[in-house]
Amino acid sequence: MEAAGQAEIPVLKQRLVILDTIITLAPLLGLLGTVTGMIGSFGIMSQSGIGQPHAVTGGVAEALIATATGLLIAILTLIPYNYFSSRAERELEKIDQYATRLELLLSSQEEKK
């Protein structure tokens, strides 16, 4: 019974790895976009000088949009991840409870013989 219960753990958690990867990867990609946008802004600033702030704002906006998008994706993915993770834990607890009940039932019937 223990082995059968343990075999169900990967089945219940198989898709959670995908959500966990998205939660981890999205902010990192947003950070990469931020760094890329800032590099572009500094490149424009080095060519046109500090006197033209309008030339720099495009790269800064790109950087902020990338950061916000990465964080938004991670936040929105965290909600279903937590839901399905807690649901998997509840199901595993139910499996444990039913296995214990079955074991007690079988042992009590064996004692009656």
Side-chain angles (χ1 to χ4, degrees), residues 75-94:
I75 290 166
L76 292 177
T77 307
L78 188 61
I79 295 166
Y81 174 80
N82 283 337
Y83 171 76
F84 289 119
S85 181
S86 67
R87 186 170 172 193
E89 289 300 319
R90 283 193 309 268
E91 293 302 319
L92 290 172
E93 287 174 10
K94 282 183 186 178

Side-chain angles (χ1 to χ4, degrees), residues 10-36:
V11 174
L12 289 172
K13 294 187 175 186
Q14 68 185 6
R15 303 272 195 265
L16 290 176
V17 174
I18 296 168
L19 292 175
D20 187 38
T21 302
I22 292 170
I23 291 167
T24 304
L25 192 59
L28 294 174
L29 290 174
L31 183 59
L32 178 64
T34 300
V35 170
T36 305

Side-chain angles (χ1 to χ4, degrees), residues 37-38 40-42 44-45 48-50 52-65:
M38 295 307 287
S41 292
F42 288 130
I44 291 170
M45 201 180 332
S48 64
I50 300 177
Q52 293 184 351
H54 298 285
V56 178
T57 57
V60 172
E62 177 186 332
L64 293 175
I65 289 171

